[in-house]
């Protein structure tokens, strides 16, 4: 498989929503002459920051990283992906990361399928920049659509090579060789060979043929089944080590002295009290940090550092949405990174003229935090002029580039290793924690482990972008939509396009100046765009007194969308029903990252207290051929749980450069008591290529719940979160 195949969608993957990938470096460390000589010796070397290189490259393909990494060559040799040792053990190499989505199991399954081998005989080496082929990152729901086919092809090529070798040993035609459970049999099963028999002295250097045939989904035996998590026992028994569990001889613990406010600049620092406590203290530009023998000592030393910071006055969330509008309107068209990111067809004026009813509404979305189960952590070691960092990141090769840039190193002097990590949700694309640990380790001359606190995670990571969305539409009395104008300000363009048949439409995304650091989040802006669109569609249906399901079906020709809508509605029991006071139902549907989703929700609203409770959710999802049904089920269910927070109560509060609710005691996330009955329907299409499932299932919950709240109470909510303190009427 050549790089053109692997990167065929890369231009589409550099979504503008990934703001964090277009930032400059988190730190600009001083470059010392003795370090230059130590690492590079004599001669002349030109060093250019990657962000500057990206700017100079202009329109050249930049890859999914946003930092000019797509010129990396994807290996086409079998041995780069698969190794069979002389004992017959199969090791598979991939730059993808296991973040809790259980992709380790699914990728193992597709290799096992092609090799006709037991799942337990295959070991995956993941996300080690010294061992695995280059990979853009684990995000965008691209692992199954891109990496699974790559490994399937490599494994299929390995299978065919081994069959050839077995045929040669027996001096028979290869058509008479059969493979069963990682063994090779001749035509009458009188002779057999194992992987170990064939692997002795063998190096898989053969190029993967373009025409290699992998097993089709309809013929899957191992793939397509609910194989349990391959390393599950390690997690259950507490044997798995996350980054925060790792230890090295002589290791110190690090702590960063954080600024007094966002965007603050360091004015002065007195580190003598901390140094007197025996800590290593580093001041480099705007970076101040300490390293000590244990975490308590590091925390005390950091508190002893007397740092003075200066920050300009900054806005609060009370003025957020006006600010987003103003920063778009006040900038020239040439400065709008999002200008032209959209689609127009027909004439909005003609569509509105043909309409018998018109509607114009605004929808808003708050910033929310990722709240990963495992906060950022990194362990850094400098040894033999090389930097090695263990860290939880979704972009090991991207973080390697950040480290190389921060310390003025060639990338071959940097190694990033990612242990299986406790979630990211799009929030671990950048390597600030890795850079901070490495800077402290360089000063200390010893390994340093740095683990962010939960408050640091809330304050110094990036957020899901806030946004303002304006929708103007026209409709005929029979329910036909004649005009659709949709403008998203700031939150992003993911999921902004739709599957409805509307003759006149103008759909645009406009970038704005965000007061907070913002970036990727599970589903990117698809949640915001689906919320605005599916809420507005519900309003249109009510405007012409049509059932919301019938209304959508009238304006939909896409058969895959109609199929998930039908599946969800049937399982939910959608239709006329006797409702008790305060009970309501709603639905929504959507498409993103190759997957189709439909969500039905039932809520209750207490008319006295205003309390809103989600009682039941039914979600149907279709993403082509399913590799592991039980794990897909878990992904969908997990997305629904996560979506409840953003839909109902999650929102970042901020003022004058400070995050005001940077603790779990102040930032509301879903609790067990918030959980509704969740029913998941998987529409398995063996006739279609597999798409990713990590993001799309999250987009339907918020609009379905909002529509259900209206059905229960008559109150239309157009802002996320919908009811952080209950329904205020």
């Amino acid at each position: 498989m050549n790089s053109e195949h692997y990167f065929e969608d890369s231009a589409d993957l550099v979504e503008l929503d990934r703001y964090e990938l277009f930032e400059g470096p988190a730190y600009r460390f001083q470059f010392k002459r003795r370090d230059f000589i130590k690492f590079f010796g004599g001669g002349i070397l030109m060093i250019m920051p990657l962000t500057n290189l990206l700017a100079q490259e202009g329109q050249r393909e930049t890859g999914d990283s946003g930092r000019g990494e797509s010129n990396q060559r994807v290996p086409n040799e079998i041995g780069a992906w698969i190794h069979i040792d002389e004992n017959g053990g199969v090791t598979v190499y991939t730059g993808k990361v296991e973040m809790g989505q259980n992709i380790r199991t699914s990728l193992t399954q597709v290799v096992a399928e092609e090799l006709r081998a037991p799942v337990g005989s295959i070991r995956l080496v993941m996300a080690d920049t010294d061992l695995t082929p280059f990979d853009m990152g684990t995000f965008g729901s691209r692992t199954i659509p891109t990496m699974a086919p790559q490994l399937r092809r490599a494994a299929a090529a390995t299978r065919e090579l081994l069959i050839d070798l077995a045929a040669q040993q027996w001096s028979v035609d290869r058509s008479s060789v059969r493979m069963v459970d990682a063994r090779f049999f001749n035509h009458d099963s009188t002779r057999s060979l194992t992987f170990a028999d064939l692997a002795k002295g063998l190096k898989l250097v053969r190029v993967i043929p373009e025409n290699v045939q992998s097993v089709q989904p309809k013929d899957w035996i191992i793939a397509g089944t609910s194989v349990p998590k391959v390393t599950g026992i390690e997690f259950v028994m507490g044997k798995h080590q996350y980054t925060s569990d790792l230890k090295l001889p002589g290791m110190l613990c690090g702590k960063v002295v954080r600024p007094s406010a966002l965007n603050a600049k360091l004015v002065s620092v007195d580190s003598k009290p901390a140094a007197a406590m025996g800590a290593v203290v580093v001041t480099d530009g705007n970076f101040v940090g300490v390293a000590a023998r244990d975490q308590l000592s590091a925390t005390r030393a950091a508190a002893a550092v007397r740092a003075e910071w200066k920050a300009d006055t900054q806005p609060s969330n009370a003025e957020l949405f006006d600010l987003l509008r103003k920063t778009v309107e006040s900038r020239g068209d040439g400065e709008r990174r999002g200008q032209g990111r959209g689609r127009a067809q027909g004439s909005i004026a003609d569509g509105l003229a043909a309409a018998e009813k018109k509607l114009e509404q605004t929808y808003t979305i708050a910033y929310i935090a990722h709240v990963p189960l495992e906060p950022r952590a990194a362990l850094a070691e400098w040894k033999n002029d090389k930097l090695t960092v263990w860290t939880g990141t979704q972009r090991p090769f991207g973080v390697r580039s950040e480290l190389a840039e921060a310390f003025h190193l060639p990338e071959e002097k940097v190694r990033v290793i990612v242990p299986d990590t406790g979630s990211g949700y799009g929030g671990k694309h950048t390597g600030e924690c890795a850079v901070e640990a490495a800077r402290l380790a360089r000063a200390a001359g010893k390994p340093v482990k740095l683990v962010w606190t939960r408050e640091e995670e809330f304050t110094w990571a990036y957020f899901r972008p806030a946004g303002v969305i304006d929708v103007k539409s026209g409709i005929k009395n029979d329910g036909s939509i004649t005009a659709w104008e949709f403008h998203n300000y700031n939150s992003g363009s993911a999921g902004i396009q739709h599957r409805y048949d509307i003759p006149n439409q103008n759909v645009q995304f406009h970038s704005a100046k965000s007061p907070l650091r913002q970036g990727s989040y599970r589903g990117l802006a698809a949640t915001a765009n689906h919320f605005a669109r599916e809420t507005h569609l519900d309003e249109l249906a009510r405007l012409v007194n049509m059932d919301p399901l019938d209304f959508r079906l009238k304006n939909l020709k896409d058969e895959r969308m109609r199929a998930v809508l039908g599946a969800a509605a049937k399982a939910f029991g959608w239709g006329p029903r006797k409702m008790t006071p305060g009970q309501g139902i709603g639905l929504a549907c959507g498409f993103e990252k190759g997957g189709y989703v439909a969500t039905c929700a039932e809520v209750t609203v207490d008319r006295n207290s205003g309390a809103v409770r989600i009682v039941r959710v039914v979600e149907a999802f279709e993403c082509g051929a399913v590799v592991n049904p039980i794990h897909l089920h878990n992904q969908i269910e997990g997305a629904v749980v996560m979506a409840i927070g953003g839909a109902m109560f999650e929102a970042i509060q901020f003022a004058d450069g400070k995050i005001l609710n940077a603790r779990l005691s102040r930032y509301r996330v879903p609790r067990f008591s918030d959980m509704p009955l969740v029913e998941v329907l998987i529409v398995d299409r063996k006739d279609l290529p597999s798409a990713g499932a990590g993001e799309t299932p999250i987009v339907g919950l918020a609009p379905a719940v909002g529509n259900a709240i209206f059905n229960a109470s008559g109150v239309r909510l157009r802002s996320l979160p919908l009811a952080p303190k209950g329904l205020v009427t």
Side-chain angles (χ1 to χ4, degrees), residues 40 130 385-387 400 404 409-415:
F40 301 115
D130 268 17
D385 296 342
K386 183 170 183 175
L387 169 63
R400 182 182 69 174
L409 295 171
E411 292 197 358
E412 59 267 23
K413 291 285 187 179
V414 181
R415 181 182 185 182

Side-chain angles (χ1 to χ4, degrees), residues 467-722:
V468 179
I469 299 174
D470 293 332
V471 185
K472 181 190 296 185
S473 61
I475 188 173
K476 291 183 177 180
N477 288 331
D478 67 355
S480 302
I481 305 173
T482 60
W484 182 263
E485 188 165 17
F486 190 101
H487 293 272
N488 177 309
Y489 298 91
N490 187 68
S491 58
S493 60
I496 200 169
Q497 303 300 343
H498 56 79
R499 287 294 188 268
Y500 294 101
D501 295 289
I502 304 173
N504 305 291
Q505 55 181 296
N506 183 21
V507 179
Q508 299 289 335
F509 161 61
H510 311 279
S511 63
K513 185 177 181 181
S514 171
L516 298 185
R517 190 180 178 212
Q518 59 184 13
S520 301
Y521 184 96
R522 189 177 194 173
L524 301 177
T527 296
N529 289 319
H530 278 81
F531 170 69
R533 179 168 58 247
E534 291 296 305
T535 302
H536 196 86
L537 283 164
D538 204 70
E539 296 190 67
L540 287 176
R542 306 293 177 181
L543 199 60
V544 292
N545 296 314
M546 283 188 68
D547 176 84
L549 175 60
D550 293 339
F551 177 76
R552 284 168 173 79
L553 292 175
K554 181 176 181 63
N555 290 282
L556 269 173
K557 294 180 181 176
D558 190 307
E559 289 302 325
R560 294 173 72 182
M561 187 73 81
R562 293 175 68 92
V564 291
L565 267 171
K570 181 179 179 181
F572 186 76
W574 186 271
R577 62 172 69 185
K578 186 177 180 180
M579 309 284 277
T580 60
Q583 179 189 21
I585 60 174
L587 61 78
C589 62
F591 167 86
E592 175 66 355
K593 301 292 191 302
Y596 288 77
V597 64
T599 308
C600 296
E602 178 185 342
V603 306
T604 58
V605 177
D606 188 307
R607 295 188 175 185
N608 295 318
S609 66
V612 178
R613 176 166 178 77
I614 306 173
V615 177
R616 181 184 177 215
V617 174
V618 173
E619 182 154 299
F621 184 63
E622 188 259 284
C623 58
V626 177
V627 174
N628 189 310
I630 187 61
H631 294 146
L632 175 58
H633 183 284
N634 293 342
Q635 278 273 47
I636 298 168
E637 193 171 69
V640 169
V641 175
M642 189 172 180
I644 289 172
M648 296 299 292
F649 30 71
E650 286 189 54
I652 287 293
Q653 307 295 322
F654 62 97
D656 203 22
K658 294 181 174 62
I659 305 302
L660 304 179
N661 56 338
R663 300 179 183 178
L664 281 170
S665 59
R666 298 177 183 176
Y667 184 91
R668 179 85 153 81
V669 295
R671 303 166 180 164
F672 284 113
S673 59
D674 297 314
M675 279 300 297
L677 174 65
V678 179
E679 301 171 46
V680 172
L681 301 171
I682 297 174
V683 181
D684 191 359
R685 292 287 302 270
K686 297 295 188 188
D687 57 321
L688 295 173
S690 302
E695 299 184 88
T696 306
I698 201 173
V699 304
L701 190 280
V705 168
N707 294 337
I709 290 173
F710 175 81
N711 184 241
S713 66
V715 177
R716 177 63 69 183
L717 302 176
R718 301 184 180 91
S719 296
L720 293 182
L722 293 163

Side-chain angles (χ1 to χ4, degrees), residues 116-408:
R116 313 283 203 274
V119 167
S121 68
I122 296 169
R123 182 177 74 96
L124 253 67
V125 173
M126 303 180 73
D128 183 331
T129 60
D130 268 17
L131 299 180
T132 62
F134 168 80
D135 187 83
M136 292 182 289
T138 306
F139 51 88
S141 295
R142 300 304 298 163
T143 298
I144 288 297
T146 60
M147 183 52 65
Q150 171 66 37
L151 294 182
R152 288 173 63 194
R153 290 171 57 83
T158 302
R159 178 192 69 226
E160 297 305 306
L161 173 59
L162 294 174
I163 289 174
D164 285 341
L165 292 174
Q168 290 173 19
Q169 284 203 26
W170 291 332
S171 299
V172 298
D173 188 271
R174 71 185 313 277
S175 62
S176 67
V177 178
R178 295 181 296 109
M179 283 186 70
V180 180
D181 289 334
R183 296 182 68 87
F184 301 83
F185 297 92
N186 65 342
H187 71 287
D188 58 2
S189 299
T190 56
R191 290 187 289 182
S192 68
L193 292 167
T194 65
F195 281 4
D197 296 330
L198 295 173
K200 292 177 181 178
L202 173 68
K203 290 186 177 180
L204 298 177
V205 295
R206 184 175 296 182
V207 171
I208 302 172
E210 280 291 324
N211 60 349
V212 66
Q213 295 297 311
S214 54
V215 180
Q216 294 303 301
K218 64 182 179 62
D219 299 319
W220 283 347
I221 297 173
I222 300 172
T225 64
S226 295
V227 171
K229 185 177 179 69
V230 293
T231 54
I233 191 66
E234 296 178 13
F235 292 85
V236 172
M237 302 301 293
K239 293 182 179 180
H240 173 71
Q241 288 195 316
Y242 295 92
T243 301
S244 54
D245 298 318
L246 300 177
K247 295 180 180 179
L248 289 175
M251 182 185 80
L252 302 179
C253 292
K255 184 73 176 174
V256 175
V257 179
R258 300 295 179 186
S260 58
L262 303 175
N263 304 311
K265 302 298 181 185
L266 184 63
V267 176
S268 65
V269 60
D270 179 4
S271 60
K272 293 179 182 177
M277 298 169 68
V280 176
V281 185
V282 178
T283 301
D284 193 338
N286 221 43
F287 175 81
V288 182
V290 303
R293 64 181 181 273
D294 55 47
Q295 191 59 57
L296 180 59
S297 299
T299 300
R300 289 173 173 171
V305 174
R306 298 167 186 159
E308 181 182 353
W309 306 86
K310 181 179 180 181
D312 295 331
T313 301
Q314 300 180 56
S316 71
N317 51 273
E319 52 199 303
L320 172 61
F321 301 122
D322 287 340
L323 179 68
L324 294 179
R325 285 187 183 281
K326 289 176 182 177
T327 54
V328 169
E329 293 167 355
S330 64
R331 298 162 71 188
D333 286 350
E335 297 178 9
R336 296 186 191 176
R337 188 156 55 90
Q339 185 65 24
R341 189 75 171 190
R343 181 180 67 189
Q345 71 177 48
S347 166
I348 295 296
D350 291 346
L352 292 173
E356 292 169 298
K357 288 184 173 64
K358 302 177 182 65
L359 183 64
E360 187 170 356
Q361 297 290 1
T362 294
Y363 307 86
T364 59
I365 294 89
Y367 292 106
I368 65 175
H370 296 85
V371 201
L373 301 176
E374 177 190 11
R376 283 162 177 73
L379 171 59
E381 180 183 40
W382 296 82
K383 190 174 184 180
N384 298 327
D385 296 342
K386 183 170 183 175
L387 169 63
T388 301
V389 178
W390 292 261
T391 190
T393 176
Q394 295 170 248
R395 300 174 57 249
F397 288 88
V399 171
R400 182 182 69 174
S401 296
E402 290 183 44
L403 288 162
E405 180 178 349
F407 296 100
H408 314 282

Side-chain angles (χ1 to χ4, degrees), residues 422-446:
S423 74
Y425 310 127
K428 293 179 180 176
H429 290 169
T430 52
E432 307 91 322
C433 186
V435 173
E436 292 165 350
R439 183 64 184 88
L440 292 171
R442 189 174 75 169
K446 297 180 179 180

